[in-house]
């Protein structure tokens, strides 16, 4: 069996999921290939060019309409012999909407990575054209079933995985923390979802012997650097880090700070735990609280409550025995719950169930009449000022 996984190679969570799924499903004889679309002239980042051997880059001339691009994409899926597709909802509008137009014999699996209203609206617009839907957390699945009409028997919660072997190789590098506590932020430097601008308030509440390493890049990096200028002597920026170096970064730090406003899952969270880096993270119902057992393998704080976050980090700084116990507990649960093998087993069960049962879906649409459903168009939420949006997200999670 051959599956197209819609994604372009990049340093980020979605592509990591592809790599892990490809490795895990190969055991079952399923060949998973990345499938990406781009405009003519696009080149893979230099660091990712070797990944080209694992997938297919479909260039689209700038002169083509979106409908013409969709038609070409569907033709290539057929000609390349793909039996099914894995669609990351809202990863790309073209690739999301193609679910409504692919031939009936092509297996269509949706993956929902986020808990935002926009993501759910997009998923709802193609719901009736999918053989199975996977939410990356129990929160995703519950919301889809209870609020958006997804069939309970074809909607699943499958957490993402980490390469536990890569983290085991770094265990010897972890040393008992000295006078300094080494904290870490890893992710896209973007405040709306990741809450990165709260890092200043968290550092304001921490002893001077607590340092921070910021790994990643994004649109809010200049703003973050300005806000952290007062702590310049204890903040280090590495920029985007190759995936292969993430296990080492986790092993070299004591505490991960993750002040997100919302997350569908939080791959960085389980990467930190796999490396023994104790997580201090926002309490996002049905997401982080299904991974972190507060006070045992990490600490949770209310979204946006930087005082509680700082107090949690300070407690770990002051009580190194507690830090060690939490580090051990964090490392212990990851191989059991979040291994590549476990994730692949569950995906295989979903694929097998869909292939055997082959649920009846809405009739596929005529690709020559390509259109964009409302859920994939900008909605009223687009016009809500960002500060109000952010405030509403905090209120929603705290309630």
């Amino acid at each position: 069996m051959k599956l197209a996984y819609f994604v372009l190679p990049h340093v980020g969570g979605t592509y990591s999921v592809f790599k892990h799924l490809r490795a895990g499903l190969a055991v079952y004889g399923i060949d998973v290939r990345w499938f990406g679309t781009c405009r003519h002239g696009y080149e893979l980042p230099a660091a990712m060019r070797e990944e080209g051997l694992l997938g297919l880059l479909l260039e689209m001339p700038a002169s083509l309409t979106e409908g013409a691009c969709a038609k070409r994409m569907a033709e290539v899926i057929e000609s390349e012999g793909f039996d099914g597709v894995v669609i990351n909802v809202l990863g790309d509008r073209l690739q999301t909407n193609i679910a409504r137009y692919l031939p009936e014999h092509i297996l269509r699996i949706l993956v929902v990575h986020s808990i935002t209203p926009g993501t759910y609206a997009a998923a709802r617009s193609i719901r009736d054209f999918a053989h199975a839907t996977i939410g990356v957390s129990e929160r995703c699945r519950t919301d889809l079933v209870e609020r958006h009409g997804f069939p309970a028997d074809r909607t699943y919660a499958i957490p993402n995985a980490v390469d536990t072997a890569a983290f085991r190789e770094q265990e010897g590098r972890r040393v008992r923390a000295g006078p300094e506590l080494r904290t870490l932020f890893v992710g896209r430097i973007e405040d709306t979802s990741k809450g990165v601008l709260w890092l200043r308030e968290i550092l304001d509440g921490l002893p001077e012997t607590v340092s921070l390493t910021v790994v990643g890049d994004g649109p809010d990096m200049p703003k973050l650097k300005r806000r952290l200028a007062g702590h310049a002597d204890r903040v280090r920026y590495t920029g985007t880090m190759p995936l292969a170096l993430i296990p080492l970064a986790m092993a070299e730090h004591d505490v991960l700070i993750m002040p997100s406003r919302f997350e569908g899952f939080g791959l960085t969270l389980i990467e930190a735990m796999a490396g023994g880096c104790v997580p201090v993270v926002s309490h996002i119902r049905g997401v982080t609280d299904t991974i972190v057992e507060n006070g045992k393998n990490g600490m949770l704080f209310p979204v946006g409550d930087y005082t509680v976050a700082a107090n949690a980090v300070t407690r770990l700084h002051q009580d190194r025995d507690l830090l060690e116990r939490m580090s051990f507990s964090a490392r212990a649960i990851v191989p059991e719950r979040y291994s590549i093998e476990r994730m692949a087993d569950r995906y295989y069960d979903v694929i097998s169930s869909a292939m055997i049962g082959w649920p009846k879906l809405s009739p596929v649409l005529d690709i020559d009449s390509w259109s964009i459903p409302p859920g994939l168009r900008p909605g009223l939420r687009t016009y809500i000022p960002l500060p109000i949006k952010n405030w509403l997200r905090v209120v929603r999670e705290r309630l």
Side-chain angles (χ1 to χ4, degrees):
M1 185 178 191
K2 187 176 178 182
L3 293 179
Y5 187 98
F6 291 169
V7 70
L8 277 172
H10 66 284
V11 177
T14 310
Y15 192 73
S16 295
V17 174
F18 157 73
K19 293 289 290 286
H20 297 155
L21 195 59
R22 174 179 167 79
L25 288 179
V27 175
Y28 295 100
I30 298 176
D31 183 12
V32 184
R33 298 270 169 169
W34 67 262
F35 188 110
T37 59
C38 65
R39 287 300 182 181
H40 181 69
Y42 171 85
E43 290 188 7
L44 291 177
M48 308 295 289
R49 283 177 189 161
E50 65 182 34
E51 303 294 325
L53 299 174
L54 306 180
L56 174 66
L57 182 64
L58 181 60
E59 289 192 23
M60 303 290 192
S63 59
L64 288 185
T65 65
E66 187 172 273
C69 290
K71 191 170 184 178
R72 187 173 178 215
M73 182 178 176
E75 290 169 350
V76 171
I77 288 171
E78 288 258 62
S79 65
E80 290 290 327
F82 288 107
D83 302 292
V85 297
V86 179
I87 300 170
N88 294 298
V89 174
L90 272 192
D92 174 273
R93 189 173 81 166
L94 169 65
Q95 294 174 353
T96 300
N97 196 36
I98 199 75
R100 306 195 303 152
Y101 298 92
L102 290 176
E104 291 181 356
H105 66 272
I106 298 292
L107 177 69
R108 283 153 278 165
I109 298 174
L110 308 185
V111 182
V112 179
H113 291 273
S114 182
I115 59 174
T116 65
T119 305
Y120 288 152
R124 170 66 181 82
S125 71
I126 57 173
R127 178 196 66 193
D128 300 331
F129 299 86
H131 296 93
T133 300
I134 294 170
V136 296
S137 63
E138 190 55 49
R139 167 74 169 273
C140 287
R141 181 191 182 276
T142 299
D143 286 351
L144 291 170
V145 172
E146 295 184 356
R147 300 184 182 183
H148 300 281
F150 279 70
D153 61 337
R154 291 192 285 116
T155 307
Y156 308 86
I158 304 181
N160 294 327
V162 296
D163 182 356
T164 52
F167 286 89
R168 281 196 301 270
E169 292 174 3
Q170 300 297 334
E171 284 183 0
R173 294 179 178 270
R174 175 160 293 284
V175 296
R176 189 177 178 88
E180 180 185 51
L181 188 80
R182 303 157 298 184
T183 68
L184 179 68
F185 173 88
V186 179
R188 179 170 167 79
I189 309 302
E190 183 268 326
D191 187 59
T192 299
S193 61
K194 301 301 183 182
V196 295
L197 298 185
W198 282 322
L199 289 172
R200 188 194 70 181
E201 283 79 5
I202 293 173
L203 274 181
D204 285 346
L206 294 176
E208 289 295 323
T209 46
V210 178
S211 65
L212 172 67
T213 301
V214 176
V215 175
D217 203 351
D220 287 329
M221 177 62 88
K223 189 179 295 184
L224 177 63
K225 286 185 174 181
R226 288 195 298 271
R227 286 180 62 80
L228 291 178
H231 297 289
D233 58 336
R234 56 174 172 154
V235 178
R236 180 169 68 98
Y237 303 92
T238 71
T240 301
M241 183 174 288
L243 296 176
L245 296 182
I246 293 297
L248 176 60
M250 297 303 184
E252 292 179 339
H253 290 82
D254 306 302
V255 173
L256 175 81
I257 302 177
M258 196 176 91
S260 302
R261 286 186 174 85
F262 58 88
E263 292 280 351
F265 176 65
L267 185 60
T268 298
L269 170 55
I270 56 171
E271 288 175 334
M273 295 173 76
C277 186
V278 177
V280 175
V281 303
S282 298
H283 185 175
I284 302 171
R285 176 183 54 81
V287 182
T288 58
D289 61 4
T290 66
I291 302 170
V292 173
E293 187 174 344
N294 192 39
K296 181 177 180 181
N297 55 27
M299 293 189 175
L300 299 170
F301 60 89
V303 175
D305 197 331
Y306 44 79
T307 300
V308 175
N311 289 343
V313 176
T314 299
R315 183 183 173 195
L316 293 171
H317 184 32
Q318 294 172 343
D319 190 340
R320 298 311 173 92
D321 289 336
L322 176 63
L323 178 68
E324 287 293 315
R325 290 196 301 272
M326 286 193 179
S327 176
F328 179 83
S329 295
R331 289 197 305 271
I333 73 161
V334 175
E336 176 186 345
R337 298 184 189 176
Y338 306 109
S339 68
I340 291 174
E341 295 78 12
R342 181 173 175 80
M343 180 182 74
D345 287 348
R346 298 184 68 186
Y347 266 82
Y348 178 72
D349 288 344
V350 171
I351 293 167
S352 299
S353 177
M355 295 293 288
I356 293 170
W358 206 256
K360 185 174 178 59
L361 307 179
S362 292
V364 295
L365 304 181
D366 181 1
I367 203 163
D368 288 324
S369 300
W370 175 266
S371 64
I372 303 299
L376 286 172
R377 300 176 199 158
L380 291 176
R381 60 186 176 277
T382 306
Y383 304 101
I384 299 175
L386 185 57
I388 295 177
K389 275 188 186 178
N390 287 342
W391 178 80
L392 289 172
R393 287 168 178 139
V394 170
V395 170
R396 180 182 66 180
E397 289 306 320
R398 289 195 181 184
L399 292 177

